[in-house]
Amino acid sequence: MLEPDFIVAPEVRSGRLQRLLTDYQPPRSLIAAVYPSRRHLSAKVRSFVDFLAARHARNQDWVLSPAVEAG
């Protein structure tokens, strides 16, 4: 079973979980925000989309580095 880093990173770092297929790198997935139109986009939706873009544009502490993944 594949789980995203943000769910399992604390357990991998603590040693409660171990990665089994250390040479396997799953394909990266993208996050998409879908909304009907930019023309009438509410300030709330625009703010949330901007938040998502900023939050996921930089490296997060929940992303496992190869050294951590290999254990």
Side-chain angles (χ1 to χ4, degrees):
M1 175 187 318
L2 293 176
E3 292 290 341
D5 286 357
F6 70 89
I7 291 178
V8 298
E11 286 77 17
V12 171
R13 287 191 181 106
S14 73
R16 289 187 298 251
L17 286 178
Q18 292 184 357
R19 188 171 180 172
L20 298 177
L21 304 173
T22 56
D23 293 333
Y24 176 73
Q25 292 295 319
R28 299 196 62 87
S29 59
L30 300 175
I31 296 175
V34 180
Y35 43 89
S37 170
R38 282 185 175 211
R39 185 183 309 174
H40 302 292
L41 192 62
S42 74
K44 290 178 184 179
V45 173
R46 179 78 251 166
S47 179
F48 182 64
V49 171
D50 291 343
F51 165 78
L52 287 176
R55 173 94 171 140
H56 294 284
R58 61 185 188 273
N59 191 15
Q60 301 294 310
D61 61 354
W62 43 261
V63 175
L64 293 170
S65 67
V68 172
E69 291 176 352

